[in-house]
Amino acid sequence: MEEEEIFIKQFMIGQYGGFDDRKYEKDFRDSFYGIEACLFHTHEDYLKLVEEAKKRGFHIGVHFPMRANASKLRDALVLSLDDKIRTDAFNNIEEELNYLATAPLDYILFHYPKPVLLDDNVNWDTWKFTNSTEYILESNYCFEQFVEKSEYLFNWLTEKSEQYHFTPLLEFDALNKYIYDTDFLENLLLKYPKIKLCLDTARLFHQESIDPSLDARKIFRKYTKYTASIHLSNMQITDTIQNRHHPALPELSPDEGWAPIEDYLNIIREENNKVRIMFEHRSDRISEQQLESCYLWVDSILNK
């Protein structure tokens, strides 16, 4: 029973776009830690999520924004060099915090950095952006600006987390040398311990495939200790990118272009085996038996 508690309290599923009853029934287990919600189109679906959380005793995490079409852009551009865009971004976050004030919130997750700082020497054609405001070339954004605006963000989120009672999570979007070649971010995480990270297995695998400067395993080694949530899914990269958000199954071999999920999970276990695992995958692609195999395989690596 004790081993089962370790297993069930680490895992989460996602609900994106609304409350999907079919996914909820197939993916969720009674004693999973919770559900991460994002971009709900109706208030009724949000109320249903809150009701289910209270009834079944699970936690709610929000992948900002909770409401679809709450603002012009999905992500809050909190590091923008444009003062008005940055101010609007913080205002949009505050509006969502007020909307969520009555929910039993565990955390709210934001993409970071946003806009994404892109290495000028990397071909980013396969990286998904909704529009050009989401990114800026590293050569147009100096390190000192990045440090200054990041510190303001960390301080602001810390204050809001105390006011609204949630844990801020920052999910790495595409990364640049300011993050993987310096210790400034680690120092911020130590200075503002209420803020935690989210690492995405597919994003890091994808960037490693196009960016010779990034080593995904080193990122897991460096940052898992500051991480509260892992977004877990697989993808396949050969001469093209295929099967995004595919479930992490034990039979998917890195020799066939799949991410080395077992290597990542072994590092995660060594650095922080209590981190939560949010299955950010398309479970509709696999059977119930395969889904159970996914859960058991991940648990066997993290808790062996």
Side-chain angles (χ1 to χ4, degrees):
M1 183 63 181
E2 183 178 348
E3 291 182 356
E4 183 185 12
E5 284 299 313
I6 294 173
F7 161 65
I8 57 185
K9 288 302 182 184
Q10 274 186 285
F11 290 174
M12 301 183 70
I13 70 166
Q15 288 277 30
Y16 299 105
F19 195 95
D20 185 331
D21 288 288
R22 183 176 298 179
K23 181 176 179 64
Y24 182 47
E25 182 176 346
K26 178 180 180 180
D27 293 13
F28 196 72
R29 303 294 183 265
D30 274 335
S31 44
F32 270 18
Y33 185 82
I35 290 178
E36 182 176 292
C38 180
L39 293 171
F40 274 30
H41 286 278
T42 70
H43 184 60
E44 289 71 26
D45 274 6
Y46 164 70
L47 293 177
K48 183 172 184 179
L49 174 67
V50 172
E51 179 184 356
E52 286 294 315
K54 291 177 178 177
K55 181 170 66 176
R56 297 181 68 174
F58 63 78
H59 299 80
I60 295 175
V62 169
H63 188 308
F64 183 87
M66 180 71 219
R67 295 175 294 174
N69 305 316
S71 62
K72 292 180 181 179
L73 299 173
R74 167 177 170 158
D75 287 320
L77 304 183
V78 288
L79 300 186
S80 175
L81 294 175
D82 184 303
D83 289 343
K84 184 179 186 309
I85 291 175
R86 193 171 64 257
T87 298
D88 287 345
F90 284 109
N91 289 339
N92 289 337
I93 294 175
E94 185 108 41
E95 289 170 2
E96 285 294 279
L97 292 177
N98 287 321
Y99 177 76
L100 295 164
T102 60
L105 274 189
D106 186 76
Y107 66 83
I108 303 177
L109 178 153
F110 308 91
H111 283 160
Y112 173 87
K114 215 68 179 188
V116 181
L117 274 61
L118 301 180
D119 187 324
D120 300 61
N121 300 311
V122 173
N123 183 341
W124 296 96
D125 287 349
T126 59
W127 207 264
K128 287 189 173 182
F129 295 110
T130 56
N131 61 65
S132 61
T133 65
E134 285 192 84
Y135 60 87
I136 185 169
L137 292 178
E138 181 186 297
S139 59
N140 295 324
Y141 203 125
C142 73
F143 179 64
E144 290 73 21
Q145 291 171 309
F146 190 59
V147 170
E148 176 194 356
K149 288 178 170 48
S150 292
E151 172 125 29
Y152 180 89
L153 170 65
F154 273 60
N155 184 67
W156 189 87
L157 282 177
T158 297
E159 291 179 356
K160 296 304 173 184
S161 72
E162 294 168 352
Q163 180 182 352
Y164 291 94
H165 310 293
F166 71 96
T167 298
L169 300 192
L170 299 181
E171 180 186 2
F172 284 158
D173 206 305
L175 300 182
N176 77 331
K177 66 185 180 186
Y178 297 162
I179 290 177
Y180 55 70
D181 278 349
T182 76
D183 60 1
F184 105 91
L185 184 59
E186 285 185 279
N187 290 334
L188 274 185
L189 290 163
L190 292 170
K191 183 177 179 179
Y192 298 95
K194 290 183 180 293
I195 294 177
K196 303 299 180 184
L197 296 178
C198 170
L199 302 180
D200 186 305
T201 58
R203 283 179 186 270
L204 288 168
F205 175 60
H206 182 184
Q207 184 171 347
E208 183 181 70
S209 75
I210 61 174
D211 182 355
S213 297
L214 184 125
D215 183 326
R217 290 172 179 83
K218 286 185 178 179
I219 296 296
F220 281 109
R221 285 280 180 204
K222 184 173 185 176
Y223 287 113
T224 295
K225 64 178 68 71
Y226 308 107
T227 296
S229 177
I230 300 290
H231 277 186
L232 184 67
S233 69
N234 209 331
M235 66 189 302
Q236 189 178 27
I237 302 177
T238 52
D239 52 341
T240 61
I241 294 179
Q242 310 158 57
N243 298 306
R244 295 176 188 266
H245 293 293
H246 200 79
L249 299 171
E251 62 267 24
L252 300 180
S253 171
D255 293 337
E256 297 175 354
W258 294 96
I261 296 297
E262 186 168 4
D263 285 357
Y264 296 165
L265 290 174
N266 277 320
I267 294 170
I268 290 164
R269 183 193 70 247
E270 293 167 12
E271 298 294 335
N272 180 7
N273 73 332
K274 301 304 181 186
V275 70
R276 291 188 295 274
I277 302 295
M278 208 291 288
F279 291 93
E280 194 179 42
H281 59 206
R282 289 278 307 276
S283 63
D284 58 306
R285 294 177 180 168
I286 60 175
S287 68
E288 292 183 5
Q289 290 74 20
Q290 288 174 305
L291 180 61
E292 189 66 16
S293 171
C294 168
Y295 291 161
L296 291 172
W297 181 60
V298 172
D299 177 63
S300 73
I301 297 171
L302 289 177
N303 294 305
K304 68 182 178 182

